[in-house]
């Protein structure tokens, strides 16, 4: 009878079946969810979107492969797709007219410093894409805050100096002690902003496209609602309170939600598995923290946008959150009824 | 809303190929190998020697200590040897090997197929008969049933649960038994209720078996104390603690037993065995075993004598498929892979699963990305990724503090992990080490 | 500008001074008295922190030594008699001479001698396999070849031989700390008396199955035939559960048992080649090859 089993039979501990899920599939899911924002990026800023994203993705892959193979002497794991996601997210948080060597430098920092120094995928405490982005933002503030005005395929990549972001316009206006009404005249309507018709990084402008991605991620059970909803909710709540108290000095919560990187950050960056808490309770604490820091930086800080700092700061708290917010154990509280 | 346990759980493909196939009797094997340790606890003491002639139903192993169980000969014939033989534990353990000649039963067994509904014996007698008949939990863990039925002092059992969930994919033995022996099962269940002096009985059946639910509900109408509940299809709905939570809302405390919340759970197969033991004086010498798998020609449910070698069952189900890569004793989630088909059927064997070669190997594992899927599916609210890491780093005091011992080894974490990490392998190791440490402490 | 600089310097210096004072008083208040001999004993100890003495680390062992009334049952396997004598002299106690030991692997079920009958596919850990089943051979006693012992060794005295799938102990580096003995779930590794020139004679098998059964799955198993037991003149061989065991305290290294063994389960290592006359009498078997191979590895 055993002759029929031509090879040795396998013995392993249970379970003997496995779900179809894999790291690769999760990463592919995230990439699919980013497609709508990518399409809007191309429509708003032209082919530059494609170039910046392409350069970021390729350089992230190359750096990951080279570092793993030659520096860490490990089996390269570029096929898991995490480097692609990092590249796309990094590109999406950059302005479209950025010099391409800065994109490469950002990728090197994202993968080299943000990920590999800690031991690669799964061990990095900070979101690699944000590490790259913040590094560029602090080191090259001029290039990183020169936004082209969205003109579709006609967007010039070299000499565009127009189109500050709406958040930048507000910061500037408040500094010149203009009232909110006058500032708002320089800014497009919320409806236009919803479709991404404003200055900004190439992937963060279109709220509606990002929302489609969010729905996809939730439907595919790649992420849970906790982190994005609490971040956006916190931002809306606190900007709303300030807006009600002093409407002349503060923009409306709708404005705060639609501008800057709030939605991209909340949906795609804060939810990065490796750098976010693992239990629903922890995720809510994490989200509220990010929301608060974002609002504080936007309203009181020197920078117009704060979500990237919010996420990075809260990333540092994740191990602490994880050790304090354990899942509720079965049989922990004895309830009979 | 169907009842269900609140946290975690997964939905593996059900693949219940043999659900529509009637239970068939398998012809007697030439020899049987009956291990003396088919249950959790102390092995039974052999009462026969080499050369003895035994009859079907005769005692060949006497229980030793409280947590132990009687072993009976499942055939009549000559004892070839009492020696070590490979069993489903993966190791060789003392077994009685009997050469079968005829099928002569001991006389006290009532072999008629008449249904005996009326309960004439007292509660204590029922427990004694269960002890004599060597009945153990037949869902897989094989915990001696009489132990479950002796309620410790100061505790009271007020709800008895009959576990007809069969949440393991592929397996259908309980399902078939419910359809074909529904009356007997409920009588057996009522016998257990009488023995424990319980007034309320709940039957939990997963909703993917609507025929069994309607069949048992119909029979249960004549017994006002019984109620049948359909349950949501979710693995591990049939886990003892999960089932209690789903049906009664009570949560068995960490480290506790179901009796701590006044509940005792018995399996379908056990209830049927209790009926046989009490109403027919028949000890536990046969059981229903599912033989199934993606490539198996005739996925079947067999009524087989304990001790029959598994390869005879596989032969009867159409032979072993050419590309078989793994043989599992039990279901795919909690069953045990074996390296041989010469292993005998024991009281706890619920099925044999033949897995094709291409599905039998695990995929290489990748680093943990902390996606928290293992946490979200853990029905016990544990953190499998953390327990694995701590075990690997040998930080066993934290493994203990993070409740590794509460793990029911359902395998949901390993099943769901997108990085294919061997979470349960390491959690089992962690539990084993923590167990060692706790024993040393005493 | 100057005043700002001055103010900064003064305030920072003051802060430093205050902090230093606080630290000083706290250190005074919470000072714990420690026997100064503990430090001295710790200096003598090899600071390998291997746990071979049965205590978590060298400092812990030093504390125990200082407190202990006698040195019975206290021994540092890494430092050996020399270190124990030094520590005893320092503490004014008497050290007991303990024979140095060395670890040996009592399984020769290489890929060649013990065919693989199934494929283990799970976490690479000996204990997990041991708790699951017999392993990828049919021998329930033999080495499962996943190297938990090698991982446990702090002295790089072990490695896995890829050709045989068995761990090899490098005698010169082995300090007999016992970490591998503890790590092995099947108790295959044993600490034996270290003989001069690292000569060893031992039964390289712990199989307790009956001979006929054991031979089915391993060519070099001890079958429990008692031939070695009968030939031994020093009562060094103990027969138990179908298994011969050579007591390293009683063995006089006469090598008579080695040639008797029909399955070459008894190994002789680091001995000079036998005289030709004996060699012709001895069965030309693989046992010799194994022993020479091991010598070359060492």
């Amino acid at each position: 009878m055993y002759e029929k089993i031509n090879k040795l039979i396998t013995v392993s501990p249970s379970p003997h079946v496995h779900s179809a899920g894999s790291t690769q599939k999760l990463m592919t899911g995230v990439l699919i969810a980013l497609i709508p924002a990518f399409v809007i990026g191309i429509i708003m800023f032209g082919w530059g979107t494609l170039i910046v994203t392409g350069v970021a993705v390729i350089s992230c892959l190359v750096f990951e492969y080279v570092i793993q193979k030659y520096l860490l002497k490990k089996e390269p794991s570029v096929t898991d797709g995490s480097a692609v996601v990092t590249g796309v997210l990094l590109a999406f948080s950059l302005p479209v007219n950025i010099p391409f060597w800065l994109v490469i430098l950002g990728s090197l920092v994202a993968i080299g410093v943000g990920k590999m120094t800690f031991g690669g995928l799964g061990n990095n405490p900070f979101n690699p894409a944000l590490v790259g982005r913040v590094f560029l933002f602090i080191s090259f503030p001029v290039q990183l805050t020169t936004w082209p005005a969205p003109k579709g395929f006609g967007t010039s990549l070299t000499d565009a100096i127009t189109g500050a972001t709406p958040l930048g316009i507000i910061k500037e206006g408040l500094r010149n002690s203009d009232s909110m009404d006058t500032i708002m005249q320089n800014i497009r309507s919320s409806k236009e902003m919803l479709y991404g018709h404003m200055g900004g990084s190439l992937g963060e402008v279109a709220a509606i496209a990002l929302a489609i991605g969010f729905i996809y991620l939730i439907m595919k059970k790649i992420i849970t609602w906790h982190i994005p909803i609490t971040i956006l909710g916190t931002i809306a709540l606190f900007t709303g309170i300030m807006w009600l108290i002093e409407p002349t000095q503060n923009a409306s919560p709708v404005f705060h939600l639609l501008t800057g990187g709030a939605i991209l950050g909340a949906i795609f960056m804060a939810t990065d598995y490796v750098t976010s808490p693992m239990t629903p309770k922890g995720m809510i604490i994490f989200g509220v923290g990010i929301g608060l820091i974002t609002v504080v930086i936007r309203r009181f800080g020197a920078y117009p946008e704060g979500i990237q700092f919010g996420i990075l700061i809260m990333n540092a708290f994740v191990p602490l959150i994880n050790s304090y917010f354990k899942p509720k154990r079965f049989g922990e509280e004895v309830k009979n009824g | 809303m169907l009842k269900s346990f609140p946290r975690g759980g997964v939905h593996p493909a059900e693949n219940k190929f043999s659900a529509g196939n009637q239970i068939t009797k398998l012809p007697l094997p030439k020899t049987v190998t009956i291990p003396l340790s088919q249950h959790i606890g102390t092995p039974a003491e052999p009462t026969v020697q080499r050369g003895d002639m035994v009859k079907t139903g005769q005692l060949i192993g006497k229980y030793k200590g409280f947590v132990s169980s009687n072993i009976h000969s499942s055939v009549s014939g000559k004892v070839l040897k009492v020696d070590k033989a490979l069993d489903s534990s993966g190791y060789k353990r003392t077994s009685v090997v009997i050469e079968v000649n005829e099928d002569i039963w001991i006389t006290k067994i009532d072999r008629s197929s008449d249904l005996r509904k009326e309960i004439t014996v007292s509660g204590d007698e029922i427990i004694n008969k269960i002890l004599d008949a060597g009945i153990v939990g037949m869902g897989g863990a094989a915990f001696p049933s009489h132990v479950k039925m002796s309620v410790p002092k100061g505790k009271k059992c007020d709800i008895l649960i009959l576990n007809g969930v069969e949440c393991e994919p592929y397996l259908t033995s309980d399902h078939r038994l419910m359809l074909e022996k529904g009356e007997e099962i409920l009588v057996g269940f009522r016998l257990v209720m009488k023995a424990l002096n319980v007034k309320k009985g709940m039957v939990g059946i997963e909703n993917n078996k609507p025929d069994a639910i309607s069949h048992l509900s119909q029979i249960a109408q004549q017994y006002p104390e019984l109620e049948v509940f359909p349950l949501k299809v979710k693995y591990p709905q049939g886990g003892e603690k999960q089932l209690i939570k789903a049906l009664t809302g009570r949560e068995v405390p960490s480290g506790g037993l179901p009796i701590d919340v006044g509940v005792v759970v018995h399996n379908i197969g056990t209830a049927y065995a209790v009926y046989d033991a009490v109403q027919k004086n028949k000890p536990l010498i046969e059981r229903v075993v599912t033989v199934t798998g993606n490539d198996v020609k005739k996925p079947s449910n067999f009524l087989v004598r304990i001790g029959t070698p598994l390869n005879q069952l596989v032969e009867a189900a159409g032979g072993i498929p050419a590309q078989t890569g793994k043989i599992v004793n039990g279901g795919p989630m909690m069953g045990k892979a074996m390296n041989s088909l010469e292993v005998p059927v024991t009281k706890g064997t619920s099925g044999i699963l033949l897995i094709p070669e291409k599905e039998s190997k695990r995929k290489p594992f990748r680093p943990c990305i902390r996606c928290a899927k293992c946490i979200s599916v853990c029905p016990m609210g544990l953190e499998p990724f953390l327990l694995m890491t701590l075990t690997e780093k040998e930080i066993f005091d934290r493994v203990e503090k993070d409740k590794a011992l509460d793990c029911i080894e359902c395998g949901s974490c390993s099943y769901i992990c997108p990085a294919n990490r061997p979470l349960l392998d390491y959690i089992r190791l962690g539990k084993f080490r923590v167990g060692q440490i706790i024993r040393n402490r005493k | 500008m100057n005043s700002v600089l001055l103010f900064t310097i003064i305030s920072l210096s003051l802060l430093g001074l205050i902090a230093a004072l606080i630290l000083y008083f706290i250190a005074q208040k919470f000072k714990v008295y420690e026997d100064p001999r503990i430090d001295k004993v710790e200096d003598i100890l090899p600071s390998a922190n291997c746990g071979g003495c049965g205590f978590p680390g060298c400092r812990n062992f030093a504390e125990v030594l200082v407190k202990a009334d006698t040195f019975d049952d206290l021994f540092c396997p890494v430092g050996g008699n020399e270190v124990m004598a030094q520590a005893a002299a320092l503490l004014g106690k008497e050290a007991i001479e303990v024979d140095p030991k060395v670890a040996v692997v009592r399984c020769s079920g290489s890929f060649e001698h013990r065919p693989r009958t199934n494929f283990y596919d799970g976490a690479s850990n000996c204990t997990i396999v041991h708790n699951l089943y017999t392993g990828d051979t049919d021998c329930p006693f033999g080495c499962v070849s996943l190297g938990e012992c090698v991982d446990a060794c702090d002295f790089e005295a072990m490695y896995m031989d890829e050709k045989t799938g068995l761990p090899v102990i490098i005698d010169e580096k082995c300090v007999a700390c016992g970490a591998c003995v503890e790590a092995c779930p099947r108790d295959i590794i044993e600490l034996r008396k270290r003989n001069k020139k690292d000569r060893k004679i031992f039964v390289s098998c712990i199989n307790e199955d009956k001979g006929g059964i054991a031979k089915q799955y391993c060519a070099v198993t001890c079958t429990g035939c008692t031939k070695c037991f009968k030939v031994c003149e020093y009562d060094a061989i103990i027969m138990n559960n179908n298994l011969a065991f050579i007591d390293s305290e009683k063995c006089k290294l006469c090598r008579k048992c080695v040639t008797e063994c029909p399955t070459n389960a008894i190994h002789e290592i680091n001995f000079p080649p036998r005289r030709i006359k004996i060699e012709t009498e001895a069965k030309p078997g693989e046992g010799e090859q194994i022993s020479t191979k091991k010598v070359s590895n060492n």
Side-chain angles (χ1 to χ4, degrees), chain A residues 2 10 12 14 16 18-19 331 337, chain B residues 248 251 325-326 332 335 341 417 428:
Chain A
Y2 283 110
T10 307
S12 58
S14 67
H16 307 289
H18 190 267
S19 66
Chain B
T248 67
E251 219 166 89
K326 200 187 247 180
L341 268 178
C417 182
R428 269 200 206 97

Side-chain angles (χ1 to χ4, degrees), chain B residues 186-416:
Chain B
L186 290 190
V187 172
F189 186 51
R190 285 176 63 243
L191 286 166
V192 182
M193 283 173 70
K194 179 165 185 193
L196 281 165
N197 197 18
V198 179
K199 296 284 174 291
K200 190 174 171 194
M202 296 168 115
V203 184
I205 303 172
E206 225 175 18
N207 207 28
N208 56 1
K209 297 180 262 294
D211 46 352
I213 295 168
S214 63
H215 183 64
L216 281 197
S217 305
Q218 211 175 359
I219 302 168
Q221 274 169 5
Q222 51 187 311
Y223 311 119
E225 69 271 29
L226 293 187
E227 202 179 340
V228 179
F229 294 92
L231 294 164
K232 198 175 156 192
V233 182
K234 187 161 87 168
Y235 178 87
Q237 192 72 264
E240 199 171 51
K241 292 177 178 177
Q242 278 63 39
L243 184 61
I244 294 170
K245 177 76 182 173
L247 286 177
T248 67
R250 301 178 189 181
E251 219 166 89
V252 179
S254 165
L257 290 170
I259 193 69
D260 294 331
V261 290
V263 182
V264 170
V265 183
H266 279 286
N267 176 268
I268 292 288
T270 316
Y272 183 57
V274 169
Y275 167 83
D276 268 352
V278 179
Q279 306 292 67
K280 306 268 183 181
N281 286 325
K282 183 178 152 198
L284 180 50
I285 55 165
E286 53 188 3
R287 70 156 297 149
V288 181
V289 179
T290 305
V291 181
T292 183
N294 288 357
D295 295 341
V296 172
K297 281 202 195 80
K298 289 183 284 176
S300 328
N301 303 290
F302 294 120
L303 182 68
V304 291
R305 302 286 170 89
I306 304 289
T308 309
L310 295 188
N311 50 25
Q312 194 169 344
L313 277 73
V314 173
E315 209 59 69
I320 188 158
Q323 251 70 48
T324 298
K326 200 187 247 180
I327 303 162
V328 179
N329 186 342
M333 294 300 282
M334 290 186 76
K336 202 171 157 106
M338 290 179 304
N339 52 4
S340 165
L341 268 178
E342 258 122 68
V343 167
V345 168
T346 61
K347 292 174 183 175
T349 308
S350 47
I352 304 165
L353 173 62
L354 301 171
I355 299 179
E357 199 187 335
K358 59 180 190 296
E359 288 166 33
S360 64
K361 299 232 176 11
R362 293 184 182 181
K363 289 184 209 117
F365 68 86
R366 289 174 177 278
C368 171
I369 54 168
R370 289 189 260 165
C371 64
K373 284 195 189 296
C374 55
I375 296 179
S376 70
V377 299
C378 181
M380 297 305 287
L382 307 176
E383 295 157 287
F385 88 100
L386 183 68
L387 294 175
M388 172 173 172
T389 316
L390 292 173
T391 305
E392 272 184 312
K393 292 183 179 161
E394 308 196 330
I395 312 173
F396 294 116
D397 50 336
R398 282 193 59 198
V399 175
E400 188 186 354
K401 222 173 74 192
D402 279 312
K403 302 270 180 204
L405 292 182
D406 278 1
C407 171
I408 57 168
E409 302 184 17
C410 67
S412 299
C413 48
S414 293
Y415 171 81
I416 204 78

